[in-house]
């Protein structure tokens, strides 16, 4: 948690309590929970469960910090659950088990938005509020909250990768899963930008699936290095992609020859940033994203709405924007780009 985040939490606690009643500020585009809300419902009488893609990895360990922070400052009984791999079936089973428990809300980071659609519909039919993250366009949720506009994020990664590569040479892109919607949006936007603005760069493979597993990313990266000895760039999407790729780069002694960038967190990438195996990471604080999902659920549970300009009282989510083409997808402005020096400022 950053020092700035710690310093702001007390002030945000008061702001969040007020926002829970009124829901939003300004704007004209409104989305209300399909399940309705009750302004008299006290946070202490609510239960909320955040279902993540995978437990036991640094990204979602950090998100759990946000879930616990939310519970502490609001009084809502909130917890995090997830499977031991990224199969959508395990997320579906968890949600199916939660529905009879009738939590106030389920927040979810889906491995496959399409696969979860039916079970989320079942949850909403039982009056459970559903909020998603990393799933723009997912069906059967009240609100999807993104940390940023996914296309802009992917373009930003490509801009930096192109600069590192001197705007020429071959590269590959990794995703946690081919059904991981946000990962595919990031690499898709990056690829489109490369095609339009960096014609001397070439993507030599379709996106490569890592299953958000560092060892798998390492193995795939070694295969790419053997297959394409002149490769100049790697873009990673899942939190474990970039460290896995970097391990292969370090072993091959290619720190000064190959550019490695993508989504990760400082703690997982620090040693590789320090030795040059990773050039830059891109991320958002999953703790704050976890809080943002739950704060939206709290607003909806108490009869509020989410609108353009809504201030959740959480850093990076103080003036939500509505993503074009969607009725219920909102985004903050919470992305960070960090080289070794910048990443050292974060303690997660």
């Amino acid at each position: 948690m950053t020092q700035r985040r710690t310093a702001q939490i007390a002030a945000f606690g008061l702001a969040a309590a007020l926002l829970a009643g009124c829901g939003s500020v300004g704007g004209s585009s409104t989305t209300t929970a399909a399940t309705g809300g009750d302004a008299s419902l006290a946070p202490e009488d609510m239960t909320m469960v955040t279902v993540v893609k995978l437990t036991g990895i640094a990204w979602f360990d950090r998100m759990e910090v946000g879930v616990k922070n939310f519970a502490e400052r609001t009084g809502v009984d909130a917890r995090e659950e997830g499977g031991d791999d990224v199969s959508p079936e395990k997320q579906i089973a968890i949600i199916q088990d939660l529905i009879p428990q009738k939590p106030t809300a389920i927040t979810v980071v889906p491995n496959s938005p399409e696969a979860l659609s039916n079970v989320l519909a079942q949850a909403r039919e039982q009056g459970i509020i559903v909020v998603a993250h990393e799933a723009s366009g997912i069906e059967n949720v009240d609100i999807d909250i993104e940390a940023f506009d996914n296309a802009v994020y992917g373009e930003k990664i490509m801009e930096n990768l192109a600069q590192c590569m001197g705007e020429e040479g071959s590269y590959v892109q990794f995703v946690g899963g081919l059904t991981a919607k946000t990962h595919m949006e990031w690499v898709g936007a990056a690829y489109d930008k490369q095609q339009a603005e960096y014609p001397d760069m070439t993507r030599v493979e379709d996106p490569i699936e890592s299953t958000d597993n560092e060892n798998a990313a390492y193995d795939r990266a070694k295969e790419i290095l053997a297959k394409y000895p002149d490769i100049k760039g790697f873009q990673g999407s899942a939190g474990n992609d970039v460290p896995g790729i970097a391990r292969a780069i370090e072993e091959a002694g290619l720190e000064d020859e190959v550019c490695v960038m993508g989504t990760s967190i400082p703690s997982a990438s620090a040693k590789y940033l320090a030795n040059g195996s990773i050039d830059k990471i891109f991320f958002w604080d999953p703790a704050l994203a976890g809080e943002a999902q739950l704060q939206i659920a709290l607003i909806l549970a108490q009869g509020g709405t989410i609108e353009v300009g809504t201030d959740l009282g959480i850093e990076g989510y103080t003036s939500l924007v509505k993503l074009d083409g969607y009725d219920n997808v909102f985004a903050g402005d919470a992305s960070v780009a960090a080289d070794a020096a910048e990443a050292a400022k974060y303690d997660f």
Side-chain angles (χ1 to χ4, degrees), residues 151-152 154-160 162 171 186-199 201:
V152 172
E155 290 169 357
K156 183 185 296 185
I157 295 174
M158 178 50 66
E159 287 172 1
N160 282 268
Y171 73 98
W186 300 340
V187 298
Y191 178 65
D192 288 345
K193 187 172 185 66
Q194 177 265 302
Q195 291 277 285
E197 299 187 20
Y198 309 112
M201 293 173 61

Side-chain angles (χ1 to χ4, degrees), residues 121-142:
Q122 295 168 24
R124 295 183 81 217
E125 287 170 1
Q126 296 302 312
I128 299 168
I129 293 166
V130 178
V131 177
H133 175 57
E134 292 191 58
S136 54
I138 186 172
E139 296 181 354
N140 299 318
V141 304
D142 293 294

